[in-house]
Amino acid sequence: MQNKAFIIAIDGPAASGKGTLARNLASHYNFHHLDTGLTYRAVAKALIDQGLALDDEAIAARVAQELDLKGLDRTVLSAHEIGEAASKVAVMPEVRRALVEAQRKFAENLPGTVLDGRDIGTVVCPDAPVKLYITASAEVRAERRFNEMRAKNTDADYNEILDDLKRRDERDMNRSASPLKPASDAHLIDTSKMDIEAAFLEAKKLIDAALRS
Ligand code: DC
């Protein structure tokens, strides 16, 4: 009987396919899954709902400390404005400190966990036995977002989505607190020319090898 959780750390930019991959892997291995982006989004939404400023670190940190990971609702939190606000609160070190602590606790759930985000392999779980960095060109990611929105009958403009993704990448990769970057020992999976099934099989090969060793 394993007494230590097996952690799969997945990082990558917005719309790289890391969320779908993380969910598929968690379901395949029967592991617990946490989309850590939702934790930043939940802090942003709580601030917006209470009419509080998005740039007051002390208030945002207090909200982050009180966050209950069980109450995260993906449907409600996926709104575009919440994502924008989340990338602003995610630059605050005190907010990150509180959320990272909760994420690390979650990561210890037996028999194993899949966490996806921007700093899982570098900061949250640097000792995870499997680290994946999922990426794709900005154009491919914008096209995927565009198709998703069209499928939901939402108005979508490809160029606006592309600009928006580039802005989000810029903010996530160049902030001083835990910027998005691959851990030195992460496996890179570029999904630009790969469907989700192929990415899943590549990840599974790496995870099965780590589970055997
Ligand atoms: O992946 P997402 O769009 O739900 O993430 C929302 C914001 O939160 C995004 O701008 C980056 C930030 N984030 C982060 O800084 N660290 C994480 N581990 C996850 C998300």
Side-chain angles (χ1 to χ4, degrees):
M1 178 83 183
Q2 282 275 22
N3 60 1
K4 202 165 175 291
F6 186 92
I7 303 172
I8 302 172
I10 305 183
D11 292 301
S16 57
K18 66 180 188 310
T20 309
L21 179 64
R23 278 194 296 281
N24 291 349
L25 289 171
S27 139
H28 177 79
Y29 291 101
N30 242 323
F31 283 1
H32 308 269
H33 170 231
L34 178 64
D35 170 352
T36 60
L38 293 184
T39 64
Y40 291 91
R41 286 171 180 262
V43 171
K45 181 170 188 305
L47 292 171
I48 295 169
D49 286 354
Q50 293 171 60
L52 298 167
L54 285 171
D55 59 357
D56 186 323
E57 185 159 0
I59 291 180
R62 204 187 60 224
V63 170
Q65 281 154 12
E66 286 165 3
L67 189 71
D68 178 5
L69 296 193
K70 288 185 207 81
L72 301 172
D73 182 338
R74 209 165 99 83
T75 313
V76 173
L77 295 172
S78 66
H80 179 74
E81 324 71 79
I82 298 179
E84 276 294 306
S87 77
K88 290 176 189 150
V89 302
V91 303
M92 299 171 176
E94 288 302 318
V95 170
R96 301 200 72 86
R97 205 190 314 276
L99 294 182
V100 166
E101 191 183 318
Q103 293 161 8
R104 283 188 180 140
K105 229 175 256 160
F106 180 92
E108 292 310 322
N109 272 306
L110 293 171
T113 48
V114 183
L115 280 81
D116 69 281
R118 304 291 193 287
D119 60 343
I120 310 301
T122 50
V123 175
V124 181
C125 302
D127 298 326
V130 177
K131 296 180 187 176
L132 307 173
Y133 188 86
I134 313 301
T135 182
S137 70
E139 289 71 19
V140 166
R141 290 185 283 130
E143 199 177 317
R144 284 184 194 147
R145 252 305 130 82
F146 177 76
N147 291 336
E148 263 168 37
M149 290 172 78
R150 289 291 288 269
K152 287 188 206 150
N153 285 325
T154 315
D155 271 346
D157 179 291
Y158 172 83
N159 287 316
E160 235 172 70
I161 297 172
L162 180 61
D163 285 350
D164 192 66
L165 276 177
K166 286 183 174 167
R167 253 200 323 273
R168 187 86 66 91
D169 285 356
E170 165 78 18
R171 216 179 283 154
D172 291 345
M173 290 174 181
N174 295 313
R175 65 174 179 230
S176 54
S178 312
L180 169 66
K181 62 167 187 235
S184 57
D185 52 349
H187 301 277
L188 253 64
I189 302 180
D190 186 337
T191 66
S192 300
K193 295 195 183 104
M194 207 187 245
D195 64 15
I196 193 65
E197 182 60 18
F200 175 82
L201 292 175
E202 187 162 333
K204 182 176 175 302
K205 220 184 320 163
L206 296 164
I207 296 162
D208 287 344
L211 280 167
R212 276 195 301 271
S213 67

